[in-house]
C-alpha cells in the first residue's frame, strides 16, 4: 500500500507527497481545478506514474476518474470534470 502525506505550505496550494524511490530526484507537479479547494501540489518521483496523481486528486476533490480530463497548461495541469448528463 502506498503511503501519502499532506504537507501544508505557506501558500495557496496544498502540498501532497506521493511515494517515491529514495534515490529518485523529486519533482513538484501542480494540479488545479475550478475552485481554490481543488488546487493541489504533488511532490513525487520522476518515475511515479501520473495515474497515481490522477487517482489521488479525484479522491481528494470528489471527482470521478472516468469523467475527469487532465490537460497540461504550461507549468500547471488543469483538471476538469467532463460530466455527461443523460
Amino acid at each position: 500500500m502506498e503511503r501519502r502525506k499532506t504537507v501544508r505550505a505557506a501558500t495557496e496550494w496544498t502540498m501532497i507527497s506521493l511515494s517515491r524511490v529514495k534515490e529518485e530526484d523529486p519533482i513538484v507537479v501542480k494540479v488545479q481545478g475550478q475552485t481554490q479547494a481543488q488546487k493541489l501540489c504533488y511532490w513525487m518521483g520522476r518515475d511515479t506514474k501520473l495515474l497515481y496523481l490522477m487517482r489521488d486528486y479525484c479522491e481528494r476533490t470528489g471527482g470521478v476518474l472516468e469523467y475527469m480530463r487532465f490537460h497540461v497548461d504550461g507549468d500547471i495541469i488543469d483538471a476538469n470534470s467532463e460530466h455527461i448528463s443523460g
Side-chain angles (χ1 to χ4, degrees):
M1 173 166 261
E2 88 181 32
R3 294 182 319 160
R4 295 182 303 188
K5 169 172 78 169
T6 300
V7 179
R8 296 283 177 193
T11 66
E12 59 187 53
W13 295 82
T14 300
M15 180 69 79
I16 297 156
S17 178
L18 293 180
S19 296
R20 63 184 180 86
V21 177
K22 198 173 207 175
E23 298 81 30
E24 244 182 346
D25 289 331
I27 59 172
V28 174
V29 178
K30 293 181 178 181
V31 183
Q32 71 178 10
Q34 296 181 351
T35 68
Q36 182 67 26
Q38 295 174 327
K39 294 174 94 172
L40 303 175
C41 277
Y42 286 89
W43 190 64
M44 56 194 270
R46 292 181 180 276
D47 293 330
T48 302
K49 293 181 181 182
L50 286 177
L51 181 59
Y52 297 142
L53 176 148
M54 293 166 23
R55 282 182 182 157
D56 184 81
Y57 183 85
C58 289
E59 285 177 17
R60 291 176 187 270
T61 61
V64 178
L65 184 59
E66 289 78 17
Y67 297 122
M68 293 297 289
R69 298 295 174 252
F70 295 86
H71 302 278
V72 177
D73 184 19
D75 296 329
I76 296 175
I77 296 176
D78 286 327
N80 295 297
S81 177
E82 195 175 88
H83 183 71
I84 302 170
S85 58

